[in-house]
Amino acid sequence: MAGFFSHFLIFFKVINWGLIPGIPLAFLTFFNNQSIFWRDIIISVEPIPYLITYAFNLTLAGLSAKLAQGVVLAYYGARVEKFGLILSGGFLPRFYCDREGSWQLKRRQQLWVFATPLVARLILFVMGVLIWYWTHNTGTDLGTWALLLAHASFMDFLLDSCPLWPVDGFLFMLAYFRLPPNFLVRVYLVWDMVLHNRPLPKSFSLKEKWLLLLYGPAAFLFTSLVLIFVAFYVGQGLSANFSGIFGRGTASIIITAVVLLAIRQPIAVLLKAKNIGTKTVSSSSLPPVQEYPGTTDSTPHNKKNSSWLKKLIIILLLAGICWLLIMPYPYRPGGQIQLLPPTQQQIQAPVDGKIIKVYFNGGDGKWIKSGTAIALMEATDIENDTLKTEQQIKSQQAILEKEQANLNKLLNTPRKEEVELAEKEIDVAKQQVEVSKQEIEVARQEVEVAKKQLDSAKSRFEFSSREADRYKFLAKQGAVSTQAFEDKQKLADADSVKVEESLKNLLVKENEVQSKRSTLTTRETSVQEKETNLKLVLSGAHPDDIAAARKQVEAARAELKRLEQQLKYNKDQLQRTQLLMPIDGYLVTPYLDQKVGSYLDRGDTFAVSEDDRHIRGEVKVPEYNAGEFVVGAEVEVKLAAYPDVSFMGKVVSIEPTAASESSSATTTGEHTSSSTERIIRVIVDLPNVDKTLKAGLTGYAKIQGSDKPVIVAFTRPIVRYIQLEVWSWLP
């Protein structure tokens, strides 16, 4: 492996130098999206069984780091004697790489050997975070595994880089500060001397004494805490995977067993160190400090010059890679898909009525063409309404004719007959006025005659009255007889009566004159009215009357049209009493023949028809891929139920706006955070000839997009990350 990877030394150097911007990018990405990060940890990572998680971490994070360390050791010329699995801490399987040969290398080479697992885990951490960010909302599991890799790599880096226990970080500390390989043994022996009240060697400086005294308790405390924490974590994971294997006490038994295994190895190491100290250390001295490894010259790694054939192969390989990177690649954005229910349509009663015939039983899968009659209804109410509406139409037609005739009459005025009649009425009225004037003249003459008669009666009455008074005086004197007096008195009374009669006759004649004058006034008014009427006749009908008549005609015509429309609607409803198949398909509702005789209100469902020859699905495509495809693009779908079968379809619609999918997650600090992802909902149509597609099935869909060079297609997430995420961090 060292010989093979040596040809790609520049590539690995670029990756190492890439950590300088990569680590800040990864942490900035994490802090800017930590709510989504912890949500995905809880939703996607935690439900994965512990053994699967541990196997994944062990294989990628652990194996890759130790393989890289072994390759670097071999590259520098050291021999790797052992490589494989060991029980770290006495209970935890971990990959192990023999590093004894590194003590024969130069100090710089040793630093790279011990730093390689740490650098490898940092590379995996950066790659995991960025891949998770690029793919977490695509609907695939790649984001979940990238997140798991980033999480495991970072935790392994923290544990492996700590210099307080014997891991790569501890060895890196020894090489960097030029400490002896038996540093832990010396720490234990120093504390053994202190606990047994033995003086420390005088060759130790004060700084060295405090370093040895402080490092021991710190390393012991840290190692104990880490072992106990890891043991409890592993025990809980195993108890979750094997719940109930030992009954109710399964968790306690497994955790206790793991903890005992965890503390067994540190105790054994302490006992071994004590035995070493008892054999090698006297009461006043420590074993001599070993010469720092790397002070002697080690055999450097001599790189042989590659032959011209190897160079040609490398050049051809690089040329092939460049050619491959510019080849057109069918870029296919995708997302999670869920199949929607097949096309269904309810067959509802269009009218109120009773089912009298059913032509199909339903529920038997029989294919029926669209427009086929499936049942017949009886609607007596609509038939009655139809007859009633026909009678109303006849009545309304008569009303319309009457109003139209009235309008025509108004529009055709004045007529010659009406004008002549009005003129004749004026002539008659004027003649009556002349008659009234003549009658008044006659009445006036009669009044004059009555006045003269009254004056004559008054004169006679005055004479007879004086004559009666004279005879009365003479009768008292005895000059005339009483009879003569009485005769004169009777004559005077008669003349008085004639005066009254004449007066009454005068009053009657005067009243007749007044009556004639009133009649004259009335007849003169009638003449004026007749003249006014003639003017009206000559001027024609009034515009308001014509407008009112037209409105009456329009209202009558509108009512007639409404009744005709109602009649048409009723006849249509009568025709719709035959229930038809709305689509090509089959009837889902069974036992339809049992509905004969049942009464349905308008809008009640009689049966449900379905066409499952095509199934539609909803694809949730991330918003950044919205412009990569169009309606009509081909779609390839793989479902969880049929992972080995590809279903082909087409895009039928794309929502014009991006939708939000909000979710919440609880971080380890018990803080609840919310995140919103933007997606485009795309509806695709899939043929379902063999009836294998069912509503509700889920999977993943890829939509045909435009062709792009391979390097462009596979670096789009990186370019988009730089263009958007990194750009957003700039002030």
Side-chain angles (χ1 to χ4, degrees), residues 461-493:
F461 174 70
E462 290 177 357
F463 175 77
S464 59
S465 178
R466 286 195 300 271
E467 187 70 15
D469 289 338
R470 187 172 64 79
Y471 271 83
K472 181 180 180 182
F473 178 75
L474 292 175
K476 287 180 179 181
Q477 294 295 326
V480 293
S481 62
T482 304
Q483 184 63 38
F485 165 71
E486 290 178 357
D487 292 336
K488 293 296 182 180
Q489 185 64 44
K490 289 179 181 179
L491 181 61
D493 292 337

Side-chain angles (χ1 to χ4, degrees), residues 428-496:
V428 172
K430 288 182 177 180
Q431 291 176 2
Q432 290 178 350
V433 169
E434 293 298 328
V435 171
S436 296
K437 289 181 178 179
Q438 292 176 3
E439 290 178 349
I440 291 173
E441 187 63 28
V442 172
R444 285 179 178 176
Q445 293 176 2
E446 291 178 351
V447 169
E448 293 297 330
V449 172
K451 286 182 178 180
K452 290 179 178 181
Q453 291 176 353
L454 178 61
D455 293 339
S456 175
K458 285 181 178 180
S459 297
R460 286 195 301 268
F461 174 70
E462 290 177 357
F463 175 77
S464 59
S465 178
R466 286 195 300 271
E467 187 70 15
D469 289 338
R470 187 172 64 79
Y471 271 83
K472 181 180 180 182
F473 178 75
L474 292 175
K476 287 180 179 181
Q477 294 295 326
V480 293
S481 62
T482 304
Q483 184 63 38
F485 165 71
E486 290 178 357
D487 292 336
K488 293 296 182 180
Q489 185 64 44
K490 289 179 181 179
L491 181 61
D493 292 337
D495 291 337
S496 174

Side-chain angles (χ1 to χ4, degrees), residues 309-482:
L309 182 60
K310 290 185 177 179
K311 291 181 179 179
L312 180 61
I313 292 174
I314 293 174
I315 292 173
L316 292 177
L317 181 62
L318 293 175
I321 293 174
C322 293
W323 177 80
L324 180 64
L325 292 178
I326 62 175
M327 284 289 292
Y329 180 83
Y331 182 73
R332 298 191 299 170
Q336 289 182 333
I337 184 174
Q338 182 173 4
L339 299 188
L340 303 175
T343 302
Q344 288 187 342
Q345 189 165 344
Q346 294 180 344
I347 304 174
Q348 297 176 332
V351 295
D352 299 340
K354 182 173 65 175
I355 301 295
I356 58 176
K357 285 185 181 180
V358 174
Y359 304 116
F360 294 92
N361 193 29
D364 51 5
K366 185 176 181 180
W367 194 259
I368 305 173
K369 289 290 185 179
S370 175
T372 304
I374 62 173
L376 182 63
M377 296 181 65
E378 181 183 36
T380 56
D381 292 341
I382 297 180
E383 293 176 356
N384 294 332
D385 289 343
T386 302
L387 295 175
K388 181 180 178 180
T389 305
E390 289 177 348
Q391 296 298 326
Q392 290 177 342
I393 287 176
K394 293 180 180 179
S395 176
Q396 189 63 29
Q397 287 175 343
I399 295 174
L400 176 61
E401 292 175 357
K402 178 182 177 181
E403 296 295 338
Q404 186 65 49
N406 183 39
L407 176 62
N408 294 337
K409 179 181 178 180
L410 293 175
L411 293 175
N412 293 328
T413 55
R415 292 181 299 175
K416 182 178 179 182
E417 295 83 359
E418 292 179 347
V419 175
E420 292 178 353
L421 178 62
E423 290 176 346
K424 288 180 179 180
E425 290 178 348
I426 293 174
D427 293 340
V428 172
K430 288 182 177 180
Q431 291 176 2
Q432 290 178 350
V433 169
E434 293 298 328
V435 171
S436 296
K437 289 181 178 179
Q438 292 176 3
E439 290 178 349
I440 291 173
E441 187 63 28
V442 172
R444 285 179 178 176
Q445 293 176 2
E446 291 178 351
V447 169
E448 293 297 330
V449 172
K451 286 182 178 180
K452 290 179 178 181
Q453 291 176 353
L454 178 61
D455 293 339
S456 175
K458 285 181 178 180
S459 297
R460 286 195 301 268
F461 174 70
E462 290 177 357
F463 175 77
S464 59
S465 178
R466 286 195 300 271
E467 187 70 15
D469 289 338
R470 187 172 64 79
Y471 271 83
K472 181 180 180 182
F473 178 75
L474 292 175
K476 287 180 179 181
Q477 294 295 326
V480 293
S481 62
T482 304

Side-chain angles (χ1 to χ4, degrees), residues 6-21:
S6 63
H7 300 295
F8 303 95
L9 185 61
I10 296 178
F11 173 74
F12 291 109
K13 286 183 178 180
V14 171
I15 291 179
N16 288 334
W17 282 104
L19 286 177
I20 296 176

